[in-house]
Amino acid sequence: MLLVDNIIILKEVFPTTLLKLREIENNTDKELIKIEEAKNGYKTLSIKNEEKWVYLHSKYNPMREAEAIIEEYKDIESDSSIIFYGAGLGYHIDALLNQHPNVNYYIYEPIPEILYAYLSNKEIKDLPSKKLKGMVTGTDNETIYSFLNEYISKSTGKTVMIVLPQHKNLFEEEYKKFLDIYREVAKNKKTGTLTEYAFQKRWILNSMINFKEILSTPNILVEKKEHFKGKPALLVAAGPSLNEEIENIRYIKDNRLAYIFSVGSAINTLVHHGIYPDAACTYDPTERNQIVFEKVKDMGISDIPMIFGSSVGYETLENYKGDKYHMITSQDTIAAYYLKSKENIGIDIVFDAPSIAVVTLQLLYKLGFSTIILAGQNLAYRDKKRHSEGIEYSTDVTEEEIKKGIWVKDVYGNEVLTDEGFNRMRQQMELYIGSFENIKVINTTKGGAHIEGTTFIELEEVIKEQLKESIVEEKWLSSESTSYDKEYLISQSQKMDKEYKETAKIIKEYYSILDSIDTFIKNRNFNQAEKMYVKLDRSLSKIEKNKFFQVFILSMNRVSYKALADGIDSLNEEKNKTLKGERISNSFRQFMDKCKDDIEAIEDIYSEMKKVIAEFQ
């Protein structure tokens, strides 16, 4: 049975794992594992594999075997994090930690019965290192995803996975599943971090510059929320299959059979064919996004309404002649702080996504549409094309991209080639569709990737069977700006200005503490340095509580801020006192240097924002 001290530790630190072990405590599968004595007197463990018993550890000398396993891990760096995959009876864990006691480590044993055996024979408190960060068991997806998401979000250095060799041989499917999920979570984390790194400053810069447009245009999710119950919407994307649907879309437009929303570059294909959607949606924060609307601007078109995300590239909105309507995005911390409706009702937002189609899907659901029809939503290549015609800046798929492509199921049940970007868009679209209630999503994209939660029906058939009456209102969008609470806006602006004026004082104090740390470390006055670390922590807390930092600066430096926050434990655990002081000083100084640069960079834009707020009627 589980050792008493282990139960106490599990209950306090790893309660979920304890619950799983409790489930098998009175039901331990005697037919799955056996503890035996090895030839050298140590315990070993055997597993029933079909009709045979197979040793998980050596039946002669499990200690020597463990030393051989960890022989290849001599050069582990001190800031590495280790995942022990397969605990067994823990011989390899002890052997590794005896050599590297200062690394953070996690124990993942997929088979609960094996972890039960381990914790019935080994005291957690006797492990050679006290830096155990996680102990997890189970083979279900939820357990693995939860563990890996938490692990990857916290780890800052290199990951070293140490696998018990016989474990992966005996439980081959479980190991493969874990590796597949690990690769997926790591890739998504990397993509998310890269996205944040690339866009973190643009999101805030755009939201600040666009604030004037926000105050002078209607918020479509305030003015038209759930307005379209029982109505169909056609969401038109720029996939290559769109070329085949032009006449069907023209018929829908001419007969007002559904509201037509173009997303991204699809506006160019539609305009190329003389079709004006009921609205064109955009949210991309990059400067390059303005290229999407160049044709519309150059042609002087003024009767296509634009629905823009509040953090969209500000250049996109410049000189657009049509009516504009906004939706607040999850990346817009400015609107979240300054705006409140007069009725004190929460302002609905759309969440950032890899594709404007996914953002618009959220929008249409919140507007109340009962049927959403997808067109041109290939999310895959077609005859080396990635976009429909009429998009002058589109390029063909290269041979290199084809080689790196991945195969997914298409709408006919066959396979179609796509890439990682399209695939992420599809997966996120599927997540949203799966969460929507009382809505039907039809995918009409011929040859496109299958999208789980949708039904594939060709557009001709949808028109014939489901779009039988004119439903589009002539003037369906209001032209009056949303009446945000003016008093609240001005009050928030005044509060923010006080916070802004405090930043100089906070920054000065912060740098002064760092200078003191440098001096104390140089003079080897480590006791005084330790006192300064406490002051530095308090100074960082002041920064985190300051609204100007919260809304503007930390949001512009979210990747650096997260890296600093996640690395604090590692910095504090450094045993070399000189190295600890230097690492703390360098990490905190580099972070504040970036923040200070950004405060200076947005100073004029912030002043302009204050003027816009003061003039708001």
Side-chain angles (χ1 to χ4, degrees):
M1 61 185 297
L2 293 173
L3 299 174
V4 174
D5 285 350
N6 285 347
I7 293 173
I8 294 170
I9 292 171
L10 288 172
K11 187 175 182 179
E12 183 178 344
V13 187
F14 310 120
T16 303
T17 300
L18 178 60
L19 286 174
K20 289 189 176 183
L21 296 179
R22 286 291 197 199
E23 289 175 8
I24 65 166
E25 190 161 31
N26 298 319
N27 262 323
T28 302
D29 190 349
K30 300 286 196 303
E31 297 303 313
L32 178 64
I33 62 171
K34 285 194 301 187
I35 304 269
E36 302 177 14
E37 188 172 299
K39 300 292 184 184
N40 68 343
Y42 283 91
K43 291 177 181 178
T44 189
L45 188 149
S46 58
I47 309 286
K48 190 168 187 181
N49 184 23
E50 296 179 350
E51 297 303 315
K52 298 185 299 181
W53 287 91
V54 182
Y55 285 98
L56 188 63
H57 303 293
S58 168
K59 66 179 180 179
Y60 299 104
N61 191 335
M63 285 292 291
R64 185 183 298 164
E65 177 191 52
E67 289 167 1
I69 290 170
I70 60 98
E71 182 68 24
E72 64 180 286
Y73 302 104
K74 288 180 178 177
D75 301 323
I76 291 177
E77 297 170 9
S78 60
D79 63 342
S80 297
S81 294
I82 294 175
I83 297 176
F84 290 103
Y85 178 91
L89 293 178
Y91 294 114
H92 63 305
I93 297 174
D94 284 357
L96 191 286
L97 295 178
N98 278 325
Q99 292 185 12
H100 303 281
N102 295 322
V103 296
N104 293 328
Y105 66 100
Y106 300 74
I107 297 173
Y108 172 69
E109 171 52 68
I111 312 303
E113 289 82 1
I114 296 178
L115 187 64
Y116 188 93
Y118 173 56
L119 295 177
S120 297
N121 290 276
K122 172 72 178 181
E123 295 273 12
I124 296 173
K125 66 183 181 181
D126 291 339
L127 282 163
S129 167
K130 305 305 178 187
K131 301 182 75 172
L132 175 62
K133 301 299 181 182
M135 182 177 285
V136 181
T137 188
T139 59
D140 58 289
N141 283 7
E142 184 179 352
T143 294
I144 300 173
Y145 274 109
S146 176
F147 163 58
L148 290 175
N149 276 312
E150 181 180 358
Y151 164 75
I152 287 175
S153 70
K154 288 183 177 179
S155 61
T156 54
K158 183 180 179 183
T159 293
V160 179
M161 191 180 302
I162 298 177
V163 181
L164 192 57
Q166 186 70 328
H167 197 298
K168 73 174 181 180
N169 295 333
L170 288 171
F171 301 99
E172 190 175 342
E173 287 302 312
E174 288 81 356
Y175 179 63
K176 182 179 181 300
K177 179 180 180 180
F178 181 85
L179 273 189
D180 287 345
I181 294 176
Y182 175 80
R183 291 188 186 110
E184 179 190 340
V185 171
K187 182 174 67 179
N188 289 343
K189 174 66 177 176
K190 182 179 179 182
T191 301
T193 301
L194 288 173
T195 299
E196 289 197 334
Y197 186 79
F199 298 150
Q200 57 186 350
K201 297 188 191 305
R202 284 287 298 189
W203 280 323
I204 304 307
L205 182 71
N206 291 333
S207 298
M208 293 177 75
I209 296 173
N210 293 341
F211 199 66
K212 184 175 182 178
E213 294 277 7
I214 299 301
L215 295 180
S216 60
T217 58
N219 182 328
I220 191 167
L221 283 174
V222 172
E223 307 303 330
K224 295 291 183 180
K225 186 174 182 179
E226 298 186 355
H227 179 79
F228 300 95
K229 285 186 176 180
K231 304 288 177 64
L234 180 66
L235 192 161
V236 183
S241 294
L242 178 58
N243 297 330
E244 300 175 41
E245 306 296 355
I246 292 301
E247 294 311 312
N248 288 322
I249 295 172
R250 192 189 309 280
Y251 181 83
I252 291 170
K253 175 67 178 180
D254 290 347
N255 292 278
R256 297 162 51 207
L257 301 178
Y259 288 88
I260 301 174
F261 295 82
S262 72
V263 295
S265 298
I267 182 68
N268 292 293
T269 301
L270 295 180
V271 167
H272 177 73
H273 290 282
I275 302 170
Y276 290 5
D278 294 297
C281 301
T282 186
Y283 91 118
D284 189 328
T286 64
E287 180 182 359
R288 191 174 184 275
N289 189 57
Q290 63 184 313
I291 297 172
V292 173
F293 288 91
E294 269 185 0
K295 181 182 287 188
V296 175
K297 292 178 182 179
D298 291 345
M299 292 174 66
I301 297 171
S302 61
D303 43 0
I304 300 177
M306 175 195 283
I307 301 174
F308 66 91
S310 55
S311 54
V312 73
Y314 68 88
E315 302 91 347
T316 305
L317 306 183
E318 292 175 342
N319 304 317
Y320 189 78
K321 291 181 169 57
D323 290 337
K324 294 192 282 281
Y325 306 84
H326 68 270
M327 49 186 172
I328 307 299
T329 69
S330 58
Q331 301 294 356
D332 183 355
T333 55
I334 283 81
Y337 172 81
Y338 283 98
L339 299 181
K340 187 179 80 170
S341 69
K342 281 187 174 180
E343 297 77 19
N344 202 23
I345 299 170
I347 299 171
D348 216 343
I349 66 170
V350 289
F351 289 91
D352 192 58
S355 159
I356 179 58
V358 179
V359 173
T360 304
L361 193 71
Q362 297 174 59
L363 170 67
L364 299 183
Y365 177 70
K366 292 172 184 288
L367 293 178
F369 286 101
S370 60
T371 302
I372 299 175
I373 304 159
L374 307 178
Q377 195 67 64
N378 287 76
L379 298 173
Y381 303 145
R382 189 174 187 188
D383 299 327
K384 292 193 175 183
K385 298 292 182 186
R386 67 182 93 234
H387 290 123
S388 49
E389 62 187 14
I391 302 169
E392 295 168 2
Y393 48 85
S394 180
T395 58
D396 285 351
V397 181
T398 65
E399 290 298 328
E400 186 65 24
E401 287 175 310
I402 290 173
K403 286 178 185 176
K404 291 181 179 179
I406 53 177
W407 292 96
V408 296
K409 186 170 76 169
D410 72 5
V411 292
Y412 306 116
N414 303 315
E415 287 194 324
V416 65
L417 195 65
T418 188
D419 63 21
E420 292 288 355
F422 282 143
N423 209 39
R424 280 194 300 274
M425 294 175 194
R426 176 184 59 80
Q427 290 168 341
Q428 190 147 27
M429 184 172 281
E430 289 174 344
L431 284 174
Y432 277 107
I433 291 172
S435 69
F436 292 163
E437 296 179 353
N438 304 317
I439 191 169
K440 178 167 58 176
V441 183
I442 300 170
N443 186 7
T444 70
T445 310
K446 296 173 183 175
H450 167 71
I451 302 170
E452 195 66 34
T454 69
T455 304
F456 174 65
I457 308 173
E458 292 191 358
L459 191 52
E460 298 95 323
E461 188 68 17
V462 175
I463 293 170
K464 181 180 176 183
E465 298 296 329
Q466 302 190 41
L467 303 180
K468 297 182 177 179
E469 58 179 312
S470 299
I471 53 92
V472 178
E473 303 166 35
E474 287 289 346
K475 295 287 185 181
W476 70 279
L477 283 172
S478 165
S479 59
E480 294 183 9
S481 60
T482 294
S483 298
Y484 291 115
D485 189 322
K486 182 180 178 181
E487 289 183 7
Y488 179 80
L489 174 62
I490 292 172
S491 172
Q492 289 295 91
S493 180
Q494 290 170 346
K495 290 176 184 175
M496 180 61 78
D497 216 35
K498 289 180 182 176
E499 298 285 295
Y500 170 63
K501 289 169 182 173
E502 279 290 309
T503 58
K505 179 182 173 183
I506 294 172
I507 292 169
K508 184 178 180 181
E509 177 191 81
Y510 183 97
Y511 277 121
S512 175
I513 294 169
L514 291 177
D515 290 341
S516 295
I517 290 173
D518 290 344
T519 300
F520 290 134
I521 294 300
K522 184 178 179 180
N523 296 330
R524 301 185 64 78
N525 191 342
F526 300 121
N527 287 336
Q528 288 300 316
E530 288 291 336
K531 292 177 182 178
M532 285 295 112
Y533 301 152
V534 176
K535 288 189 175 182
L536 183 60
D537 187 55
R538 289 178 190 152
S539 184
L540 183 62
S541 293
K542 288 181 183 178
I543 287 166
E544 292 168 335
K545 292 174 183 176
N546 180 275
K547 287 296 181 184
F548 188 84
F549 268 101
Q550 277 182 25
V551 173
F552 297 98
I553 306 306
L554 295 184
S555 298
M556 292 178 77
N557 291 278
R558 61 189 76 188
V559 175
S560 299
Y561 174 53
K562 186 177 186 306
L564 181 71
D566 289 346
I568 286 175
D569 286 345
S570 173
L571 293 172
N572 286 331
E573 289 167 357
E574 175 59 58
K575 301 300 182 185
N576 184 310
K577 293 181 179 181
T578 299
L579 186 57
K580 175 181 177 179
E582 290 172 350
R583 288 179 62 193
I584 287 174
S585 178
N586 290 337
S587 297
F588 278 75
R589 192 179 295 276
Q590 287 171 13
F591 169 70
M592 183 50 69
D593 287 347
K594 292 176 182 177
C595 291
K596 190 166 172 285
D597 287 345
D598 284 336
I599 290 174
E600 292 172 3
I602 68 169
E603 193 171 17
D604 290 343
I605 303 170
Y606 176 67
S607 296
E608 187 61 32
M609 254 191 75
K610 287 197 296 179
K611 289 180 187 175
V612 168
I613 292 169
E615 294 167 0
F616 177 62
Q617 298 298 321

